[in-house]
Amino acid sequence: MRVIAVINQKGGCGKTTVAVNLSACLAVQGRRTLLVDMDPQSHCAVGLAVPEDQIEASIYDVMISWDGESRTELKHVVWQIAQNFDLAPSSIELAALEQQLAGKDRREDYLRNVLHEYAGGYNYVVVDCSPSVGLLTFNALRAADDVLIPVETGYFSLHGLQRQLETLDVLKEQCRQDVAIHILASMYDVRTKLAREILTELRKQYNGRLLQTIVNFNTKLKEAASFGQPITEYDSSSKGMGDFQALAKEMMAFEEAHAGRSRLHQLESNLETISQSAEKLIAHSKEAIGAKPAIVQKTEKTVAEKIDNFYGVRQKHDRVEFATLCPGAKEVCVAGDFNGWDPHTARLSLNGRPGRWMVDMPLQQGRYRYRYVVDGQWQQDPYNEKIELNEFGEYNSVLEVV
Ligand SMILES: Nc1ncnc2c1ncn2[C@@H]1O[C@H](COP(=O)(O)OP(=O)(O)OP(=O)(O)O)[C@@H](O)[C@H]1O
Ligand SMILES: [Mg+2]
């Protein structure tokens, strides 16, 4: 069994599209494949026409009952999608897993344990992650042999990629975990100059990690998802199908190259180190997205550096500062409960480092939900780990003013 986690903190960069269609193509190649949806948004079920109201149990139930007396086994939650292709769907309860596992030992290992116990019959397990960094993504990382980072070929993605790679490097170095990290250029539109330049830059900076396969922008992939089908069923002669077949073959070639290595043995012998490092990594990830774990206070940055580096939301007496990175944006606003979700009134202005946008506003005590509006596009705050699903199936960021 080889576990491939599809991860990127950036929302909408194509993770689910990659996870679904890579799984489908591995299955077509005769590999028994399980797709695990670790995103509470449940987009895999939607993209594969699994009726959400009929999902009685999900990967959440398997994980939460893992160390209990009455366990839910993986086979009880799995849906067969096609020959060789099964889905372990997600559910909204997954969003609460982090709190529910608080205080448990090795809580970052639940998915890994579950897969080792129940998923031995699969050749591949592909894990689709949510765009936020937290315990769910960390569980996927800890279970993974391969990490696949789809990078939409645009400037914002490059910034997110750098942070993602730093996080993964910490994992690799500190945990001594044998994870292979692959970057996948996705949604590539050869007709645009920016996309071509980004690809050249990716090749320059990440040579060795960048996969040869490129997933092109292909409307058939979008249509397939809206019809609830993988590309293998929706249009097997499309360019999208060709790209994902190539990706499946490239990933299979890595497996052959790794054959013979006993990763499990290595992990078992290093469990203690890994567990300690896991906490450090969570702290590192939180630092990257603007939270303040204890480890941040121990770093030796100057106060000026800290201020300049700050992204996220923070309270200063009766005011709250919102800071985010949007290089190249023309207008960045914040809309939320505090301003009637008006996408135009609360404007951020350029402040500090290039591309850093900031506003501070007076806010009374309370709990607020908000999103940024960047050149008219709504998006969650990528530096705030506190999120909740909204009625559109997207994430609102959450802020508590005390
Ligand atoms: N190669 C592609 N060609 C065309 N459209 C694509 C491609 N990849 C993804 N899309 C479309 O882009 C949108 C976002 O893709 P997707 O849902 O896979 O991203 P995601 O990273 O999983 O998002 P989230 O972070 O919310 O989980 C979807 O509408 C999807 O159909
Ligand atoms: Mg997704």
Side-chain angles (χ1 to χ4, degrees):
M1 176 187 64
R2 197 151 177 95
V3 182
I4 304 172
V6 185
I7 295 178
N8 194 334
Q9 285 164 251
K10 185 177 185 302
C13 63
K15 293 180 288 296
T16 303
T17 306
V18 168
V20 165
N21 293 302
L22 171 61
S23 300
C25 285
L26 287 167
V28 164
Q29 296 289 331
R31 303 297 193 275
R32 278 189 47 74
T33 304
L34 172 70
L35 172 61
V36 176
D37 191 350
M38 284 288 279
D39 185 348
Q41 293 180 105
S42 298
H43 284 170
C44 290
V46 177
L48 291 168
V50 171
E52 276 188 273
D53 55 350
Q54 288 181 35
I55 298 175
E56 285 174 3
S58 75
I59 189 69
Y60 164 83
D61 299 281
V62 183
M63 288 173 71
I64 199 76
S65 67
W66 162 251
D67 59 355
E69 280 176 12
S70 107
R71 290 184 176 186
T72 302
E73 292 183 29
L74 194 60
K75 65 181 180 202
H76 295 135
V77 311
V78 154
W79 288 64
Q80 189 186 13
I81 303 298
Q83 195 183 1
N84 293 328
F85 182 9
D86 290 347
L87 169 70
S90 133
S91 63
I92 190 76
E93 287 111 319
L94 257 190
L97 194 79
E98 180 150 8
Q99 287 139 357
Q100 290 171 356
L101 294 185
K104 296 254 188 191
D105 263 0
R106 295 188 180 142
R107 61 204 177 109
E108 65 280 356
D109 279 338
Y110 274 55
L111 181 64
R112 177 174 160 266
N113 293 338
V114 159
L115 294 180
H116 282 149
E117 172 89 15
Y118 301 125
Y122 292 99
N123 301 112
Y124 285 95
V125 176
V126 178
V127 185
D128 183 27
C129 293
S130 85
S132 61
V133 177
L135 189 68
L136 294 179
T137 300
F138 200 63
N139 264 267
L141 271 174
R142 292 279 296 114
D145 300 286
D146 295 275
V147 170
L148 201 51
I149 308 177
V151 176
E152 190 190 342
T153 35
Y155 182 81
F156 298 121
S157 320
L158 269 190
H159 173 78
L161 175 69
Q162 189 52 46
R163 277 198 329 217
Q164 191 78 55
L165 285 175
E166 283 163 16
T167 307
L168 291 166
D169 280 341
V170 172
L171 177 85
K172 259 194 116 167
E173 282 165 24
Q174 299 194 355
C175 303
R176 280 176 244 143
Q177 185 171 330
D178 188 14
V179 178
I181 296 166
H182 313 284
I183 296 165
L184 172 67
S186 79
M187 297 198 216
Y188 181 67
D189 185 350
V190 70
R191 293 166 305 171
T192 70
K193 187 161 177 279
L194 178 67
R196 293 195 303 271
E197 282 172 2
I198 295 287
L199 187 63
T200 309
E201 197 55 29
L202 282 173
R203 286 192 172 128
K204 242 194 271 168
Q205 282 191 36
Y206 303 111
N207 191 18
R209 283 184 173 175
L210 185 69
L211 292 174
Q212 279 183 3
T213 306
I214 292 170
V215 174
N216 289 279
F217 187 90
N218 182 239
T219 43
K220 296 284 180 191
L221 291 167
K222 221 182 232 306
E223 286 169 23
S226 63
F227 280 92
Q229 289 180 327
I231 195 68
T232 43
E233 282 171 27
Y234 182 70
D235 188 344
S236 59
S237 62
S238 63
K239 195 167 184 185
M241 172 79 179
D243 289 346
F244 278 105
Q245 264 184 320
L247 179 63
K249 286 185 182 152
E250 196 171 353
M251 296 311 292
M252 282 159 51
F254 282 119
E255 184 204 353
E256 281 154 27
H258 282 92
R261 280 215 251 156
S262 172
R263 171 179 168 271
L264 182 60
H265 173 72
Q266 195 181 349
L267 285 177
E268 296 294 351
S269 62
N270 286 321
L271 261 185
E272 196 56 34
T273 328
I274 288 167
S275 193
Q276 287 163 5
S277 303
E279 292 303 326
K280 283 189 195 149
L281 181 64
I282 287 177
H284 177 87
S285 305
K286 285 184 174 167
E287 186 188 6
I289 59 173
K292 287 190 202 162
I295 199 165
V296 174
Q297 286 148 20
K298 286 189 207 143
T299 61
E300 290 170 3
K301 286 180 183 164
T302 64
V303 173
E305 268 178 332
K306 278 185 198 166
I307 290 170
D308 199 28
N309 279 336
F310 175 75
Y311 297 102
V313 276
R314 63 178 166 184
Q315 189 177 347
K316 288 177 168 174
H317 307 293
D318 57 346
R319 302 184 74 82
V320 172
E321 181 181 310
F322 295 79
T324 190
L325 186 75
C326 299
K330 292 194 177 66
E331 185 188 60
V332 181
C333 296
V334 58
D337 295 322
F338 40 76
N339 63 2
W341 292 92
D342 184 327
H344 301 296
T345 50
R347 291 191 176 185
L348 285 74
S349 48
L350 281 166
N351 175 291
R353 293 187 159 190
R356 180 179 187 267
W357 293 76
M358 201 274 280
V359 67
D360 77 276
M361 57 173 81
L363 282 185
Q364 290 184 345
Q365 203 174 358
R367 184 173 191 276
Y368 301 96
R369 291 160 302 172
Y370 68 95
R371 303 191 88 199
Y372 286 123
V373 188
V374 180
D375 292 338
Q377 297 288 315
W378 290 80
Q379 52 180 251
Q380 75 184 75
D381 180 351
Y383 301 99
N384 183 352
E385 62 178 348
K386 290 187 192 144
I387 49 174
E388 65 178 39
L389 273 180
N390 63 25
E391 67 268 36
F392 308 111
E394 295 168 326
Y395 286 113
N396 289 333
S397 302
V398 175
L399 159 69
E400 309 258 3
V401 179
V402 289

